[in-house]
Amino acid sequence: FARWLRAANRDSMASRFLNDPDSLAVDIADYWASGEDDQNRLNSALSHFRRLGPEGQELQAVGAGPRLMGRRIHDPYPDDARVIDSLAKEELSKFGPVSISQKNASNQRKFSDWLKREGRGSIVSRLTGTDQQQRSLQEDFRKFTEAEGKVVVSLDRLRQYLGAESQLKQHHPYPDDA
């Protein structure tokens, strides 16, 4: 399937598995329609892929046929998603599948999704900004918890991560090394 994607000039599977499962589902359907999977191996491979996602993440079925899963029920701002996912990946590599970290990442995505739906600024754009920006973020968080019920979202951990990320950018490493 990966070779077919490249030959058909489509985006890679890995980049879209979690970030854009809808377009991947379309490519899977096209792949099957092309007759390339005469032994139905993709079904089995996708079942294995589903198990690669971190435990505790919210899953959403995508596409027809085998249920390709992605962890995107919430649609956060892209800059928030990048930072939340990077932090979650870092914590996963350090601590293993810690349900608190995963639940926090899910709640952060939920908060960002709510901000986006309400037409408010992203978390990342205000988290380390001016005092006024940070106060407006806290006020939005208060409104979010009133609307959604008690949801635990660690903004402090995101703030720490953003501080470390900005220090790293000052040294101008290659993107792969960063």
Side-chain angles (χ1 to χ4, degrees):
F1 180 57
R3 284 190 299 266
W4 180 87
L5 287 171
R6 178 166 244 161
N9 203 23
R10 312 262 177 117
D11 292 331
S12 76
M13 181 174 27
S15 69
R16 297 182 299 154
F17 181 69
L18 295 175
N19 298 325
D20 191 10
D22 294 332
S23 73
L24 185 57
V26 169
D27 285 348
I28 290 169
D30 290 348
Y31 176 73
W32 282 330
S34 73
E36 293 287 326
D37 192 20
D38 60 344
Q39 295 179 11
N40 204 21
R41 291 181 180 167
L42 188 55
N43 248 345
S44 175
L46 292 176
S47 293
H48 291 293
F49 239 0
R50 277 194 294 272
R51 289 184 281 226
L52 295 177
E55 291 180 28
Q57 293 292 333
E58 299 173 54
L59 298 175
Q60 170 181 312
V62 176
R67 305 312 289 166
L68 178 63
M69 303 293 244
R71 60 184 175 110
R72 301 290 191 247
I73 287 180
H74 305 297
D75 184 28
Y77 280 105
D79 57 338
D80 288 346
R82 181 187 61 78
V83 172
I84 292 166
D85 291 348
S86 295
L87 175 59
K89 183 178 178 182
E90 179 182 298
E91 289 181 342
L92 184 65
S93 71
K94 285 182 181 176
F95 308 117
V98 179
S99 61
I100 294 170
S101 298
Q102 294 165 345
K103 183 66 175 167
N104 190 46
S106 179
N107 287 342
Q108 290 165 344
R109 294 179 69 79
K110 185 176 185 177
F111 178 41
S112 180
D113 177 61
W114 182 86
L115 290 169
K116 190 175 172 184
R117 284 192 325 262
E118 295 293 316
R120 293 174 164 92
S122 70
I123 297 170
V124 170
S125 69
R126 300 184 289 163
L127 193 60
T128 58
T130 65
D131 288 342
Q132 182 181 0
Q133 289 173 319
Q134 290 182 38
R135 279 192 302 272
S136 75
L137 181 61
Q138 288 294 32
E139 179 61 21
D140 284 343
F141 182 70
R142 187 189 61 73
K143 291 176 183 174
F144 167 71
T145 56
E146 286 176 3
E148 300 291 323
K150 185 172 176 154
V151 178
V152 177
V153 176
S154 174
L155 297 179
D156 289 339
R157 184 64 186 110
L158 278 176
R159 190 175 286 113
Q160 290 170 346
Y161 183 76
L162 281 173
E165 188 180 66
S166 68
Q167 288 175 358
L168 181 62
K169 285 182 181 177
Q170 291 174 4
H171 298 289
H172 308 291
Y174 287 107
D176 294 5
D177 295 341

